[in-house]
Amino acid sequence: MQIPFVDLKAQYLSIKEEIDQAIAQILQNTSFVGGSTVNQFEKEFAQYIGIQHCISCANGTDAIEILLQAMGIGAGDEVIVPAISWIATSEAVSTVGGTPVFVDIEPEFYTLDPTKIEEKITPNTKAIIPVHLYGQPANMPAIMEIAQKHNLKVLEDCAQAHGAAIAGKTVGTWGDCGSFSFYPGKNLGAYGDAGGMVTNDATLAEKARRIANHGQLSKHDHQIEGRNSRMDTLQAAILSVKLRYLDPWTQARINHAQQYNQLLTHPEVTLPKVRPNSRHVYHLYVVRNSERDNLKNSLKAQGIATGIHYPKALPFLACYQHYSFTEVDFPVAARCQEEILSLPMYAELPPEHIHYITSALNTQNVNS
Ligand SMILES: *Cc1c(COP(=O)(O)O)cnc(C)c1O
C-alpha cells in the first residue's frame, strides 16, 4: 500500500465539473488579472471570515509584507514572531526592513507562548505576528491583552488556519489584520499562488489595496508607490468554487483527526492537543515521538509518506546564524524540531489509509 501525504488530484476530481466550467468562463472573458471575479471572491471570503475587508494579493508572503508596510512597520522596528513557523513569517519582517524577534512556543499547542512575549519587548517593538500553526489558533485572548498593554499592532498569520476560531471568533478577526495564503496545499488552495489580507480597519484596508497595486485604487491614481501583488482571475474563479466546500472539507479534516486520536494508542506517541473552546482546522496532523527519525523511516518503508513541519525552528536556520542562538534560547522549539512528525491529512483522506497508518504506528518498537 502506498499512502501519499496529500492528494490534490482527489479534490480536483471531486469538483471537476464546476472547476472546469469556472476556468472555461475566464478563458472566454480573457480578463486575467483583477476584475469582478476577483472582487467577488474577496467579498465571499470576507463574509466567510466574518470581517469587513478582504484584499487579494499574489501570495501569503506578500500578504504579511504588505500588511506590515500598511501599518507603517519598517526600518528599525522589531516584530515578535514565534520560533516555529514557515520562514515566510520572519522573512516578511526582514523584507520590509524590520527585525524579527523570536519567541518560544507553547509546549502543548506549538503556537506563540504569551508568557514569554513581554521579556522580548523593547522600545523598538511595534507588532506581534501570532501564527495559527497547523490549523490551531494561537492564544489570541492573552496575546491581545499584551498587545493592548504595550500598544503593539497584531497581524495574525492565518496561512494554515482558514476558518479556525476561538470561542466562535474566527482567526484573522482578533488582531488589527490577518494574512492568508491560498497556496495549493493550504486548506483553501488555488491552482497556483494566491493570497489575501483581511481587516475591519477601512483605512488599513485601503492602504493595503494601494500597496498591492502600484499605489492606485483606480487606474493612474498613484497616491503612493506600491508594488505588483495581484491575484490572477483564474485563481479567484477557482477559489470561489472551492470556498463553497471549505466547511465540509474542514469537517472532514476534523473527523480524520478524531479517528487518528481514537486509533493511535502507542504510549510513546504524543497526539495533538486542541486549545480549549477552539476550532482546530488541522492543516496538519502533527504527532511527537523522541525517536522521530526512526519512526519516519519505518513508516516510509511501509509505504507511508510523512512530513516534518519544520525540521529546523526559525532561530536555528542558516539565514539567522548571525544571531548565534542556541537551544537554550528556545528550549521548547529546540525539542519539538527533533520530535514532530506530520501524518497524512487532507479532506479526501480515505478512512482505510488512517487504519493502515495507525496500525503501522501502533506496532512500532520506537527504541529499536
Ligand atoms: C504557507 C505559509 C505562508 C506563506 O504563504 P505563501 O502563499 O506560500 O507565500 C506564510 N506563513 C505560513 C505559516 C505558511 O504556512
Side-chain angles (χ1 to χ4, degrees), residues 59-61 64 85-86 88-89 131 157 159-160 181 183 186 194 310:
N59 57 69
T61 309
I64 306 172
S85 181
W86 173 238
T89 313
V131 178
D157 183 341
Q160 303 189 359
S181 166
Y183 180 79
K186 300 285 158 90
Y310 298 89

Side-chain angles (χ1 to χ4, degrees), residues 38-311:
V38 174
N39 297 340
Q40 180 63 26
F41 171 69
E42 289 176 337
K43 281 204 191 85
E44 291 165 0
F45 192 68
Q47 193 169 20
Y48 179 83
I49 295 301
I51 204 159
Q52 277 176 346
H53 309 278
C54 170
I55 304 101
S56 59
C57 62
N59 57 69
T61 309
D62 283 6
I64 306 172
E65 281 175 29
I66 292 167
L67 286 171
L68 286 171
Q69 278 178 333
M71 293 193 295
I73 290 159
D77 296 336
E78 293 174 7
V79 178
I80 305 269
V81 300
I84 293 195
S85 181
W86 173 238
I87 189 174
T89 313
S90 51
E91 194 178 42
V93 174
S94 305
T95 304
V96 303
T99 305
V101 174
F102 302 105
V103 167
D104 211 353
I105 56 166
E106 296 174 297
E108 26 177 16
F109 304 121
Y110 312 130
T111 49
L112 186 61
D113 188 342
T115 67
K116 294 179 180 168
I117 293 176
E118 282 188 297
E119 64 200 60
K120 298 282 181 87
I121 293 176
T122 76
N124 295 325
T125 310
K126 292 288 154 59
I128 307 175
I129 309 184
V131 178
H132 307 299
L133 196 72
Y134 309 150
Q136 166 109 281
N139 187 346
M140 291 314 297
I143 292 166
M144 291 313 295
E145 202 177 307
I146 295 165
Q148 269 145 24
K149 183 171 156 200
H150 297 272
N151 196 23
L152 305 176
K153 301 282 189 196
V154 175
L155 189 174
E156 298 175 64
D157 183 341
C158 310
Q160 303 189 359
H162 314 69
I166 303 179
K169 189 169 162 59
T170 321
V171 302
T173 67
W174 286 84
D176 294 273
C177 54
S179 60
F180 284 87
S181 166
F182 305 115
Y183 180 79
K186 300 285 158 90
N187 286 26
L188 178 61
Y191 289 175
D193 278 311
M197 306 176 268
V198 300
T199 183
N200 276 319
D201 179 339
T203 310
L204 182 60
E206 185 186 314
K207 192 101 190 275
R209 193 176 285 286
R210 280 191 188 278
I211 294 171
N213 191 19
H214 300 293
Q216 62 185 355
L217 288 181
S218 55
K219 213 165 188 163
H220 307 310
D221 162 40
H222 306 282
Q223 306 261 331
I224 52 168
E225 281 185 324
R227 55 193 284 179
N228 179 351
S229 181
R230 298 178 300 221
M231 185 184 280
D232 289 348
T233 311
L234 276 170
Q235 303 307 342
I238 289 161
L239 287 168
S240 275
V241 170
K242 292 182 75 174
L243 182 58
R244 299 201 282 271
Y245 295 93
L246 184 55
D247 269 331
W249 284 338
T250 301
Q251 193 53 52
R253 287 175 183 269
I254 293 169
N255 294 346
H256 298 331
Q258 281 167 352
Q259 206 186 0
Y260 269 128
N261 289 344
Q262 254 167 32
L263 296 173
L264 275 176
T265 53
H266 197 298
E268 281 153 75
V269 173
T270 308
L271 304 182
K273 224 182 137 191
V274 182
R275 188 183 301 289
N277 202 17
S278 295
R279 185 182 194 224
H280 187 325
V281 297
Y282 292 100
H283 174 57
L284 294 165
Y285 184 87
V286 178
V287 297
R288 273 172 80 177
N289 179 258
S290 56
E291 301 294 321
R292 190 267 319 276
D293 292 335
N294 288 346
L295 197 60
K296 187 175 196 337
N297 288 334
S298 158
L299 291 175
K300 190 177 173 200
Q302 293 171 80
I304 300 165
T306 56
I308 300 172
H309 300 88
Y310 298 89

